[in-house]
Amino acid sequence: MIPITCIIVDDEPLAVKLLESFVQKTPQLHLEASFTDSVEALGWLKEHPVNLAFMDIQMPDMNGMELSHMLPEGTKVIFTTAFKEYAFESYEVSAIDFLLKPIRYNKFIAAVEKAEQWFTLEEGRGKKEEARDTMFLRVDGELRQIKMNDILYVEGMKDYVRFHLEGERLPLTTHMTMKAVEDALPTDDFMRINRSYIVRLDKIRTVDRNLCVYIGDEVIRVTEAFREAFERYCN
């Protein structure tokens, strides 16, 4: 899944130039176009869909949140803004990441790695289901292939997730969102049981009367938002 095609949308020319310089020194990215006008960007995207949009939120005519709802299917977003209060809303629209200005390159490249991981997993989802017995995780700068059947549970930790594997003493940590993990894993085998945990259903040993799940060496509580779906599975 390399290169990742991308555009930049920001009404501040200096912000555009900074992001262009970041893209130029990031091998896995290929810049298709830059825009200071969000309406112009939308018109261009309808004819030239890309994988990824680096997009400011506060812009005239059409802000980044509005534009994100109108993007072609398959175009993901990394928001760039000077206003941290938009962070929660950005995750509500399933953005890959949220970069707070002034943006440093180390934060930029971490967001790109999240995007790369998402597209790698999405590419795997497009293959025949019977062939999907493994997946790739970017760990310490390298892609590591793991068996789906070895996954006990996945633990979300803000900007990272931890894959806890059967037979492995330490979890594998990678830049991803829980939403990306949830989308990538087969729904017949895995279920999200609270905001921070996805479990492999056939690895559950016990579920107690308080809906606490015993899996591996961990005890995980099923929270209210996920209770109904989990109880349907158990029954």
Side-chain angles (χ1 to χ4, degrees):
M1 183 54 227
I2 293 177
I4 297 171
T5 58
C6 65
I7 65 166
I8 296 166
V9 188
D10 196 309
D11 63 321
E12 299 175 6
L14 288 177
V16 170
K17 287 197 174 297
L18 176 65
L19 288 172
E20 285 177 339
S21 71
F22 286 171
V23 171
Q24 285 170 4
K25 60 182 179 181
T26 307
Q28 57 265 54
L29 294 179
H30 184 274
L31 184 63
E32 298 286 343
S34 297
F35 300 91
T36 55
D37 184 300
S38 55
V39 176
E40 182 184 352
L42 178 60
W44 187 90
L45 278 169
K46 288 179 178 179
E47 300 296 327
H48 310 88
V50 296
N51 303 128
L52 186 63
F54 294 94
M55 189 185 303
D56 191 15
I57 293 179
Q58 196 169 59
M59 294 184 288
D61 297 326
M62 181 189 301
N63 67 42
M65 289 295 175
E66 293 168 334
L67 179 56
S68 70
H69 290 288
M70 304 172 73
L71 295 176
E73 185 178 357
T75 298
K76 302 299 290 183
V77 177
I78 293 176
F79 282 116
T80 61
T81 181
F83 302 96
K84 63 182 178 181
E85 57 267 28
Y86 287 118
F88 179 77
E89 192 176 353
S90 74
Y91 289 112
E92 287 293 295
V93 298
S94 300
I96 292 284
D97 209 348
F98 175 93
L99 295 174
L100 191 61
K101 296 177 180 179
I103 300 168
R104 299 177 65 86
Y105 185 66
N106 66 320
K107 297 291 185 182
F108 177 87
I109 198 65
V112 170
E113 287 179 357
K114 283 187 186 179
E116 187 177 20
Q117 183 79 78
W118 191 91
F119 287 116
T120 299
L121 292 173
E122 190 65 13
E123 192 172 41
R125 283 174 64 84
K127 297 177 181 178
K128 291 182 178 179
E129 196 65 28
E130 58 267 22
R132 294 192 64 241
D133 57 353
T134 65
M135 67 186 298
F136 284 91
L137 300 177
R138 183 169 289 280
V139 180
D140 297 329
E142 297 179 342
L143 285 174
R144 175 167 171 180
Q145 185 172 210
I146 63 170
K147 293 180 179 179
M148 293 278 194
N149 195 49
D150 287 344
I151 301 171
L152 288 169
Y153 60 92
V154 183
E155 176 187 8
M157 302 183 64
K158 195 178 178 182
D159 292 333
Y160 299 86
V161 293
R162 288 179 173 174
F163 281 75
H164 294 261
L165 306 180
E166 209 164 33
E168 295 272 354
R169 188 173 62 87
L170 297 175
L172 301 181
T173 303
T174 186
H175 278 286
M176 282 183 74
T177 64
M178 286 292 281
K179 180 65 167 62
V181 176
E182 191 174 16
D183 287 345
L185 295 174
T187 55
D188 289 344
D189 299 325
F190 293 88
M191 182 178 291
R192 192 166 184 175
I193 61 171
N194 72 38
R195 186 171 174 270
S196 300
Y197 287 92
I198 297 169
V199 300
R200 183 166 180 111
L201 295 167
D202 63 3
K203 302 291 186 181
I204 296 173
R205 298 196 314 275
T206 308
V207 180
D208 69 19
R209 68 181 65 184
N210 297 313
L211 280 189
C212 290
V213 171
Y214 292 72
I215 187 167
D217 296 325
E218 189 70 42
V219 181
I220 306 167
R221 180 72 178 269
V222 180
T223 55
E224 192 61 35
F226 304 90
R227 181 187 185 109
E228 183 179 350
F230 186 74
E231 288 183 331
R232 279 201 306 269
Y233 166 76
C234 292
N235 295 327

